[in-house]
């Protein structure tokens, strides 16, 4: 056997690459229909108060304006709060668009103008006059820390902070201590594709919804429950998503608006938010965190206290795991943690790439660097001294943890051993060079997912699951898994996603898709294998009679006996000889919970960066990044590397560029456009070197997949802040580290 | 000649213009406020060109007009009457990918793919300009095209592979 159908672990090109480079990939706003009309949203100009009056007269006089939806004319929608709950909703009272005269946050949508063309809708929207009675608003977290309170209710994935031992006693007794407070403001996801929905309306009253989402079932169920529609009436699709990073985890209001207008006007409707309105969606919460660490002179940690306060909205309690990492990463007996919220007059924050970890690990890994300097110990050495083989918060060993190898390989590639620890020791005129490092950590999660597979007599396999590909490579890796499992060329395999009629998959988020959907896909293909073997046994004189599925292998379009590969049969022949048209299966993998319960399951990374700081201008350039990642089995090093690289770019962005600036006078994010909300451009990104340290892990799932969507970003901001300290001798504890902070 | 009409009554005269897009000439009746981007996407119905900001800040809408790259969201359709336009749909010829398209696939120069039409059109424009020779020049001259997925190093690698070889 040649076995040309081994794909797992190979750097194959994206299967959707052709569509993406030719303009053939259709995103939510790329659909057309006869009589399609356009909706433009009017956003509130105040942060808190009441709408006194909405004057739509002038706008409605324009020919071609069909309707203007406001709270005054929207009715008949779902009554109960739970109808507005979505798969990622935090506990609270979920927002109902256009159903109240109360303004709860700046840029709250207050009207939807629907017209024959986009230009006309936009113009008409500018003629809608809203008068408000403004109330005093509160958007300042740091000025309201006295309002901090524990979060209410539960959100999926949230782990309560857990303390252990006796922090106070141990901290007081520790010979070396550190106290530091860190802060970052809000960040908005800002995927390149602005949130958009196109609803196609059919004469029989059914609709097809093209939505920008990370979970098409979330879209469909929201539409069903809010508008009281049956599943048969709502087809929901999202084959291509122009990035999301968390912004597609909840149904965003353009979905509501487009469906509302379509059902009412009985027309097809397209609604795309403006870039400005992308700042009216959820965001990474504004967070202040404090760390107190006590250690012995030899660097061994005695006590860690990690406390964080984040902002949330007035109506939902968004929570994320910020402080928990401090109880997991290092060996330390005495840990104290607390996590609190302050309600602000903003929209509810929302999971944004590596939510919680990006924040918490920034604090923890900067604090470790500060401690290293106090102790006069190399920062990497300090990590080795406190290396932990178990998750101390749960007292469980890791299912696998190759972090030590990550440290070693990345440090060697980077040349860390050459580092002079002295700040400002690498100076060349007005340019200061600095080296810093940090650790990254994220969860290796599995979420519920099913898949179906159809194998047809022409030798083609179609596999599907209602998951998403937001740029992560889902299409590609699922095709690899399916093709290899059945031993088919990838060209003969099609993977479908982003369709609510496909078998259940949870939201694409948290780096859980490769592991979860991947397992379901593999299992479905294993079921096809069994069926093929059963069929083959029916063929007269079949050599396969009496064999179990464990005794046969699949490759190059054939099934063969593993022991004696000369006994083989083409899969197509199995189908023809048994007169079988197609094989259909659906898989529902169940994780081995008993096995998994005994372990902590995480991904790790070690990231080393070099920065160059222009002392006269304060400008920082990240000249080099080396990141070694331990994330179980890597299905496709090409797409996985892109994920990690993207995460690193996000880390650079968070460290140096990104911040949604709140003007507390207006309670509004004022830099709400791509010119003033800075993200890295091409010239900002230099050498990025990604190393995968593969781990064998049969606990997480049968294929040992841990996921790579988030881990690349975690720790990067800390490594940069630490490198900037090394370059300049300045400890900046507030992100982003803009030039004003360095002058 | 394909006819695309937009009939909206506002106090503005519509203009009849012709645009040649990917070698097909379209006659359009548009109001002066229609951007070239929306004319291409919503009137001619070629949605490959993307909108990422509508304000000239992201480059997602980059198309080639008479061989030069421009932000189509910052251009009114009426200003380009008679122009020869290439969008991402017209970059491959007869189903054969342009070397840059193949390089983007081979280098995994995209993730979500939303910025990609603009990146590719921009890179073709850059190569036509013939100004960029070094890696850093390519980076600088591709900096008008944002990629939120952070595919920059791969984009540069793809452009480098093709630059100077056309
Ligand atoms: S859409 Fe034209 S530059 Fe952003
Ligand atoms: S590939 Fe997603 S924005 Fe560039």
């Amino acid at each position: 056997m040649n076995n040309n159908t081994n794909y797992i672990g190979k750097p194959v090109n994206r299967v959707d690459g052709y569509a993406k480079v030719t303009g053939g990939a259709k995103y939510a706003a790329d659909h057309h229909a006869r009589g399609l009309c356009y909706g433009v949203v009017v956003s509130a100009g105040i942060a808190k108060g009441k709408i006194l009056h909405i004057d739509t007269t002038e706008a409605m006089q324009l020919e071609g304006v069909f309707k203007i939806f406001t709270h005054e004319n929207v009715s008949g929608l779902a009554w109960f709060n739970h109808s507005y709950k979505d798969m990622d909703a935090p506990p609270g009272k979920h927002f109902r668009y256009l159903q109240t005269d109360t303004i709860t946050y700046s840029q709250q949508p207050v009207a939807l103008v629907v017209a024959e063309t986009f230009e006309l809708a936009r113009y008409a929207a500018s003629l809608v006059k809203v008068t408000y009675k403004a109330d005093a608003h509160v958007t300042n977290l740091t000025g309201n820390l006295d309002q901090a309170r524990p979060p209410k209710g539960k959100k999926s994935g949230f782990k309560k902070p857990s303390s252990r031992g006796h922090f106070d006693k141990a901290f007081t007794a520790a010979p070396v201590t550190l106290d530091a407070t860190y802060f970052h403001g809000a960040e908005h996801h800002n995927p390149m594709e602005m949130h958009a929905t196109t609803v196609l309306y059919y004469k029989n009253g059914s609709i097809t919804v093209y939505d920008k989402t990370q979970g098409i079932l979330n879209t469909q169920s929201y539409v069903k429950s809010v508008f009281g529609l049956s599943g048969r009436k709502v087809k929901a699709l999202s084959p291509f998503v122009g990035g999301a990073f968390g912004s597609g985890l909840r149904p965003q209001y353009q979905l509501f608006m487009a469906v509302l207008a379509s059902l009412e006007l009985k027309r097809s409707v397209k609604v795309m938010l403006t870039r400005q309105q992308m700042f009216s969606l959820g965001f990474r919460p504004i967070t202040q965190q404090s760390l107190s660490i006590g250690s012995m002179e030899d660097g061994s940690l005695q006590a860690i206290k990690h406390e964080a306060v984040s902002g949330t909205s007035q109506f939902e309690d968004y929570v994320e795991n910020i402080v928990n990492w401090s109880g997991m990463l290092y060996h330390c007996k005495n840990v104290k943690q607390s996590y609190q919220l302050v309600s602000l007059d903003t929209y509810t924050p929302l999971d944004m790439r590596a939510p919680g970890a990006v924040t918490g690990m920034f604090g923890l890994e900067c604090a470790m660097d500060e401690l290293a300097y106090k102790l006069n110990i190399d920062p990497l050495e300090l990590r080795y001294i406190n290396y932990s083989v178990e998750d101390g918060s749960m007292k469980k060993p890791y299912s696998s943890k190759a972090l030590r190898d990550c440290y070693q390989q990345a440090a060697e590639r980077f040349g860390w051993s050459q580092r002079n620890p002295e700040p400002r020791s690498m100076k060349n005129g007005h340019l200061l060079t600095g080296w810093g490092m940090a650790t990254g950590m994220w969860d290796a999660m599995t979420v519920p997912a099913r898949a179906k597979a159809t194998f047809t007599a022409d030798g083609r396999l179609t596999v599907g699951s209602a998951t998403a590909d937001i740029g992560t490579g889902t299409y590609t890796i699922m095709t690899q898994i399916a093709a290899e499992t059945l031993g088919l060329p990838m060209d003969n395999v099609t993977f479908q996603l982003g369709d609510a009629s496909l078998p259940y998959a949870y939201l694409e988020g948290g780096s859980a898709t490769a592991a979860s959907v991947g397992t379901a896909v593999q299992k479905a293909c294993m079921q096809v294998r069994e069926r093929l073997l059963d069929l083959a046994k029916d063929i007269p004189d079949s050599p396969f009679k009496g064999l179990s599925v464990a005794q046969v292998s699949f490759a190059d379009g054939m099934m063969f006996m593993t022991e004696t590969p000369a006994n083989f049969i083409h899969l197509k022949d199995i189908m023809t000889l048994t007169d079988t048209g197609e094989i259909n299966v659906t898989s529902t993998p169940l994780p081995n919970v008993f096995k998994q319960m005994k372990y902590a399951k995480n991904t790790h990374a070690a990231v080393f960066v070099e920065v160059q700081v222009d002392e006269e201008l304060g400008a920082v350039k990240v000249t080099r990044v080396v990141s070694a990642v331990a994330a179980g089995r890597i299905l496709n090093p090409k797409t996985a590397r892109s994920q990690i690289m993207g995460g690193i770019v996000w880390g650079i962005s968070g460290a140096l560029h990104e911040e949604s600036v709140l003007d507390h006078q207006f309670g509004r994010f004022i830099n709400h456009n791509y010119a003033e909300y800075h993200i890295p451009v091409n010239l900002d990104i230099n050498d990025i070197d990604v190393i995968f340290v593969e781990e064998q892990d049969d606990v997480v799932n049968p294929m040992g997949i841990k996921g790579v969507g988030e881990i690349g970003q975690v720790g990067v901001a800390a490594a940069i802040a630490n490198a900037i300290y090394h370059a300049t001798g300045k400890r900046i504890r507030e992100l982003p580290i803009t030039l004003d902070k360095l002058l | 000649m394909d006819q695309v009409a937009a009939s909206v009554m506002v106090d503005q005269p519509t203009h009849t213009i012709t645009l040649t897009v990917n070698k097909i000439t379209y006659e359009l009746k548009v109001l002066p406020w229609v951007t070239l981007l929306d004319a291409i996407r919503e009137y001619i119905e070629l949605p490959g060109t993307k909108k990422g900001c509508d304000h000239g800040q992201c480059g997602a809408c980059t198309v080639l007009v008479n061989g030069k790259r421009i932000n189509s969201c910052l251009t009114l359709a009426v200003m380009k009457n008679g122009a020869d336009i290439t969008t991402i749909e017209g970059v491959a010829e007869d189903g054969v990918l342009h070397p840059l398209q193949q390089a983007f696939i081979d280098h995994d120069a995209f993730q979500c793919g939303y910025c990609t039409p603009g990146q590719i059109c921009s890179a073709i424009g850059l190569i036509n300009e013939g100004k960029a020779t070094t890696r850093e020049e390519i980076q600088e001259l591709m900096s008008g095209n944002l990629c939120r997925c952070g595919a920059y190093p791969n984009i540069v690698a793809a452009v480098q592979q093709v630059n100077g070889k056309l």
Side-chain angles (χ1 to χ4, degrees):
Chain A
M1 288 291 116
N2 277 333
N3 205 344
N4 295 315
T5 49
N6 270 358
Y7 297 108
I8 298 176
K10 302 264 166 69
V12 302
N13 286 343
R14 276 174 211 259
V15 298
D16 51 344
Y18 185 89
K20 284 179 174 172
V21 300
T22 54
K26 286 201 170 176
Y27 300 80
D30 294 347
H31 301 272
H32 273 275
R34 266 191 31 187
L36 177 77
C37 50
Y38 296 80
V40 167
V41 176
V42 180
S43 309
I46 61 166
K48 189 176 178 174
K50 279 225 172 322
I51 300 172
L52 296 177
H53 185 55
I54 300 190
D55 183 358
T56 59
T57 333
E58 210 184 331
M60 280 307 292
Q61 272 161 8
L62 294 172
E63 192 178 335
V65 174
F66 299 131
K67 182 155 177 152
I68 300 176
F69 295 85
T70 71
H71 71 279
E72 288 172 354
N73 60 14
V74 170
S75 62
L77 301 179
W79 181 255
F80 294 108
N81 186 44
H82 68 72
S83 302
Y84 294 83
K85 185 174 161 57
D86 61 84
M87 285 159 86
D88 192 40
K93 204 167 175 313
H94 313 304
F95 204 83
R96 302 179 184 199
Y97 304 106
L98 304 186
Q99 292 184 66
T100 173
D101 61 353
T102 305
I103 301 296
T104 314
Y105 61 97
S106 180
Q107 282 207 90
Q108 173 182 325
V110 294
L112 175 75
V113 180
V114 185
E116 195 171 10
T117 66
F118 164 64
E119 294 80 14
L120 186 65
R122 184 178 54 187
Y123 175 55
S126 75
L127 301 178
V128 173
K129 292 188 187 65
V130 190
T131 41
Y132 305 96
K133 183 178 106 28
D135 292 331
H137 59 258
V138 177
T139 52
N140 185 352
L141 176 80
T142 44
N144 291 281
L145 291 172
D146 56 336
Q147 303 293 311
R149 52 159 180 91
K152 295 186 280 263
K154 277 204 197 100
K155 182 178 185 293
S156 69
F158 179 61
K159 289 181 237 148
K160 273 206 160 154
S162 74
S163 301
R164 59 177 183 262
H166 305 278
F167 169 82
D168 295 315
K169 224 166 92 190
F171 186 72
T172 321
V176 182
T177 61
L178 172 95
D179 292 286
T181 297
Y182 303 89
F183 177 84
H184 68 70
E187 295 173 351
H188 283 82
H189 308 71
N190 276 304
M192 283 299 291
E193 177 195 25
M194 299 175 290
H195 271 264
T197 303
T198 306
V199 179
L200 306 186
Y201 188 87
Y202 302 99
K203 276 205 205 88
N204 64 1
S206 67
I207 54 174
T208 295
V209 180
Y210 287 96
D211 190 28
K212 177 180 178 71
T213 177
Q214 288 170 252
I216 196 63
L217 291 169
N218 204 22
T219 293
Q220 192 198 36
S221 68
Y222 182 83
V223 169
K224 274 163 46 184
S225 66
V226 170
F227 295 95
L229 298 172
S230 79
R232 276 182 301 116
K233 292 240 142 151
V234 188
K235 220 170 128 98
L237 301 166
S238 62
F240 289 98
V241 179
F245 315 104
S247 70
L249 290 172
R250 300 192 69 184
Q252 300 293 8
Y253 61 84
Q254 87 289 338
L255 169 68
F256 171 86
M257 300 287 169
V259 174
L260 174 79
S262 176
L263 293 175
E264 169 90 15
L265 300 171
K266 303 197 184 332
R267 299 183 68 133
S268 299
V269 179
K270 185 188 290 190
V271 179
M272 182 181 238
L273 301 187
T274 63
R275 182 54 63 188
Q276 285 71 12
Q277 288 165 341
M278 291 297 287
F279 291 77
S280 64
L281 309 179
F283 48 91
R284 194 187 297 284
I286 307 160
T287 301
Q288 176 160 313
Q289 51 181 326
S290 306
L291 277 124
S292 300
I293 306 184
S295 118
M296 302 303 282
E297 303 277 6
D298 67 1
S300 58
L301 298 181
Q302 301 302 301
I304 306 178
K305 181 167 78 175
H306 196 167
E307 296 177 312
V309 184
S310 294
T312 188
S313 67
Q314 300 288 0
F315 47 93
E316 287 167 325
D317 269 8
Y318 171 82
V319 288
E320 55 185 31
N321 301 322
I322 292 177
V323 296
N324 314 57
W325 311 98
S326 296
M328 299 165 74
L329 183 55
Y330 297 113
H331 183 75
C332 181
K333 288 210 176 80
N334 305 293
V335 175
K336 192 169 175 179
Q337 300 180 335
S338 90
Y339 173 63
Q340 294 189 298
L341 298 179
V342 174
S343 297
L344 301 173
D345 295 310
T346 64
Y347 191 64
T348 311
L350 174 58
D351 305 270
M352 182 163 161
R353 200 171 204 168
V358 156
T359 300
M361 292 289 283
F362 162 63
L364 176 64
E365 287 298 276
C366 283
M368 285 296 280
D369 197 72
E370 299 201 33
L371 182 69
Y373 274 92
K374 277 205 166 187
L375 290 162
N376 212 0
I377 293 176
D378 177 82
L380 175 59
E381 187 57 32
L382 185 62
R383 267 76 173 187
Y384 285 137
I385 293 169
N386 294 289
Y387 196 85
S388 178
V389 290
E390 66 160 26
D391 169 355
S393 70
M394 297 195 294
K395 299 240 177 318
K396 286 180 186 174
Y398 287 101
S399 61
S400 58
K401 178 177 174 176
L403 176 58
R404 197 183 289 277
D405 300 315
C406 291
Y407 285 137
Q408 277 160 2
Q409 292 184 29
E412 195 182 305
R413 183 82 60 91
F414 187 85
W416 185 258
S417 60
Q418 307 300 311
R419 180 177 181 266
N420 174 351
E422 195 58 42
R424 306 179 60 84
S425 54
M426 292 191 276
K427 195 168 186 299
N428 184 0
H430 52 103
L431 290 180
L432 297 164
T433 299
W435 289 2
M437 59 82 57
T439 318
M441 188 173 181
W442 183 248
D443 294 316
M445 287 183 269
T446 2
V447 294
R450 307 174 67 203
K452 68 167 188 184
T454 304
F455 184 67
T456 45
D458 58 0
R460 292 201 58 86
L461 175 70
T462 306
V463 186
S465 178
T467 182
D469 188 335
I470 56 172
T472 40
T474 315
Y475 276 118
T476 309
I477 56 174
M478 296 309 154
T479 308
Q480 289 175 263
I481 293 172
E484 175 161 331
T485 310
L486 266 193
L488 294 171
M490 277 179 71
D491 286 344
N492 285 16
V493 180
T494 306
F495 183 73
Q496 301 170 324
L497 51 70
D499 179 341
S501 69
L502 291 167
Y504 181 92
Y506 190 66
L507 301 165
E508 177 173 42
S511 299
T513 298
S516 315
V517 181
T519 304
V521 166
Q522 190 197 37
K523 182 157 187 203
C525 295
M526 295 301 261
Q527 289 169 219
V528 176
R529 277 183 175 213
E530 284 174 29
R531 298 276 289 275
L532 283 164
L533 176 61
D534 283 347
L535 287 170
K537 288 177 185 171
D538 290 343
I539 299 168
D541 302 327
S542 169
F544 294 97
K545 283 197 175 51
L547 291 185
S548 77
V549 77
Q551 293 168 296
V552 293
S553 304
F554 290 74
D556 300 318
M558 292 174 274
M559 176 175 79
F560 55 92
M561 285 159 73
T562 313
E563 296 266 301
T564 49
N567 285 318
F568 66 87
I569 182 166
H570 285 275
L571 302 190
K572 274 202 255 185
D573 293 343
I574 301 179
M575 302 293 279
T576 355
L577 291 172
T578 58
D579 214 5
T580 310
E582 59 179 51
I583 296 173
N584 279 302
V585 300
T586 304
S587 70
T588 311
L590 296 172
N592 188 342
V593 184
F594 289 110
K595 191 169 165 189
Q596 294 190 343
M597 250 171 34
K598 300 188 205 113
Y599 297 94
K601 301 176 290 301
N602 290 87
T603 53
H604 293 87
V607 57
F608 292 74
V609 306
E610 177 183 275
V611 298
Q612 210 172 63
V613 183
D614 186 319
E615 209 175 6
E616 284 166 13
L617 300 173
V620 181
K621 187 169 167 182
V622 177
T623 44
R624 217 149 54 87
V625 181
V626 178
S627 176
V629 175
R633 185 172 187 186
I634 300 303
L635 295 166
N636 181 335
K638 188 178 264 192
T639 54
R641 178 176 170 271
S642 288
Q643 284 283 286
I644 298 300
M645 212 173 61
I648 291 168
V649 171
W650 271 60
I652 294 171
S653 192
L656 303 177
H657 303 278
E658 260 181 77
E659 183 179 16
S660 303
V661 181
L662 258 172
D663 182 332
H664 298 305
Q665 193 185 338
F666 299 106
R668 184 187 305 163
F669 293 111
I670 48 167
N671 56 338
H672 56 349
N673 60 70
Y674 262 152
E676 293 164 285
Y677 184 84
H678 290 175
I679 61 168
V681 300
N682 201 315
L683 192 58
D684 291 319
I685 301 303
N686 299 291
D687 264 9
I688 295 179
D689 197 346
V690 178
I691 301 166
F692 287 112
V693 179
E694 289 234 1
E695 294 168 314
Q696 300 297 323
D697 192 325
D698 62 359
V699 174
V700 282
N701 48 65
M703 276 182 286
I705 306 163
K706 286 183 168 182
V708 290
E710 344 272 322
I711 184 65
Q713 188 183 350
V714 187
V716 176
I720 292 172
N722 297 340
I724 288 173
Y725 173 74
H726 184 231
T728 63
K730 286 184 185 155
R731 212 32 108 170
I732 312 296
R733 300 189 182 89
E734 192 178 323
L735 300 180
I737 306 175
T738 43
L739 38 89
D740 51 299
K741 291 173 186 149
L742 289 169
L743 289 175
Chain B
M1 196 176 276
D2 291 17
Q3 290 248 342
V4 187
S7 59
V8 174
M9 299 299 144
V10 283
D11 286 344
Q12 288 283 336
T14 55
H15 294 252
T16 303
I17 60 167
T18 61
L19 296 175
T20 302
V21 184
N22 306 331
K23 304 205 170 108
I24 299 175
T25 304
Y26 300 85
E27 184 169 293
L28 273 76
K29 288 190 178 53
V30 288
L31 286 160
W33 62 13
V34 176
T35 65
L36 181 60
L37 173 60
D38 290 321
I40 291 169
R41 283 182 54 82
E42 308 297 337
Y43 293 70
I44 298 175
E45 297 186 15
L46 284 174
T49 309
K50 299 294 183 252
K51 187 182 280 188
C53 70
D54 225 4
H55 283 66
Q57 298 169 345
C58 76
C61 63
T62 308
V63 297
L64 295 159
V65 176
N66 304 329
K68 289 207 172 87
R69 48 180 176 160
I70 63 159
N71 286 340
S72 60
C73 73
L74 280 189
T75 311
L76 296 173
V78 291
M79 292 159 62
K80 296 297 164 195
N81 189 9
D84 187 12
I85 296 163
T86 306
T87 70
I88 191 67
E89 290 97 337
V91 170
E93 288 198 38
D94 306 321
V96 181
L97 291 184
H98 185 283
L100 200 55
Q101 290 174 307
Q102 189 59 49
F104 264 63
I105 295 177
D106 293 339
H107 288 277
D108 208 32
F110 48 82
Q111 291 165 46
C112 76
Y114 197 79
C115 72
T116 312
Q119 302 279 2
I120 290 176
C121 287
S122 186
I124 293 174
L126 167 114
I127 293 169
N128 289 347
E129 289 155 21
K131 275 190 288 206
T133 50
T134 64
R135 182 194 152 105
E136 196 163 57
E137 282 164 352
I138 292 173
Q139 284 188 278
E140 166 117 43
L141 292 167
M142 286 299 291
S143 280
N145 290 81
L146 299 181
C147 174
R148 183 56 157 160
C149 294
Y152 297 127
N154 293 356
I155 292 169
V156 175
V159 177
Q160 269 184 310
Q161 182 183 304
V162 179
N163 194 26
K165 296 199 190 104
L166 289 183

